[in-house]
Amino acid sequence: MARKIGVIGGSGVYDIDGLEGAEWRSVDTPWGAPSDQILTGRLNGAEMAFLPRHGRGHVHSPSTVPYRANIDALKRLGCTDVVAVSACGSFREEMAPGDFVVVDQFIDRTFAREKSFFGTGCVAHVSVAHPTCPRLSAACLTAGRAAGITMHDGGTYLAMEGPQFSTLAESKLYREVWGCDVIGMTNMPEAKLAREAELCYASIAMVTDYDSWHPDHGAVDISDIVAILTGNADKARNLITRLPALLGAPAPCADGCDRALDHAILTAPSKRDPAVVARLDAVAGRVL
């Protein structure tokens, strides 16, 4: 099986430069339409698929992003690895606006989203103890540093529902009590769904602001965020162009991301709802 890199672009990252044979493709999924068409092509010899998470022109809020359709569509196109980039606030002085953080943990505080492909008719439980792929994350870290980006290795991402930014009390709680490093609105349930779909997943948090905890920076201001987003988008594209050479030839994931469903499905074969199983053809066809 050939390696194919899927990229989910966050706020401000709506395309990738330099794709050979670039084509915007519509993909139908049992979970509805993805956020947008998917830009496919080749980049430095590797097959790529790029999906703007909010849609071109930023039409989806964090709560209305069709997360299941997005992950299904990338899997359906043959993606093996997914790199998610997203704008985030920082809880750490040293993680400054313009820096990137390679996230390795999440705290999920979202509540208005469908979080699983599975349910009544076909029940499954996957482990997300380590929700990102160490190999893919390491490649992103190396690519970012080679591109001259200030990269931070590891961090806990607080996923909030939004669309409003944090209150000061929430910001202090997440930073001082829970020990989070960055805050965003879109990596959950995305990371959980990627694990259910047996995709290697890496999360790159592009810091735009200090949330509301910082005594010298005041409340989050959207105009300031937009200014940082522009620079971050260019950095993200530069990072992505370096990934194909670092990832190399396809191989089984050493951490088992591509085998997450081996022992996850609990519903007996005779009790599985055929309609539910049919809907899982791309996500779980390997085991169903």
Side-chain angles (χ1 to χ4, degrees), residues 11 15 22 32 35 44 50 57 66 115 188 199 202 205 218 221 231 266 281 285:
S11 300
D15 56 29
S35 296
N44 296 333
F50 175 82
K115 299 191 179 189
M188 283 293 168
L199 293 168
D221 185 284
L266 298 186
D281 64 332

Side-chain angles (χ1 to χ4, degrees), residues 167-187:
T167 67
L168 177 58
E170 289 169 334
S171 191
K172 288 182 174 180
L173 171 71
Y174 302 150
R175 176 178 183 269
E176 298 171 10
V177 181
W178 290 4
C180 299
D181 299 296
V182 294
I183 183 169
M185 303 179 187
T186 56
N187 273 196

Side-chain angles (χ1 to χ4, degrees), residues 101-124:
V101 182
V102 181
V103 173
D104 60 354
Q105 283 294 329
F106 296 98
I107 294 177
D108 186 0
R109 296 288 291 167
T110 65
F111 54 82
R113 312 171 189 191
E114 294 290 345
K115 299 191 179 189
S116 178
F117 291 111
F118 298 91
T120 303
C122 190
V123 176

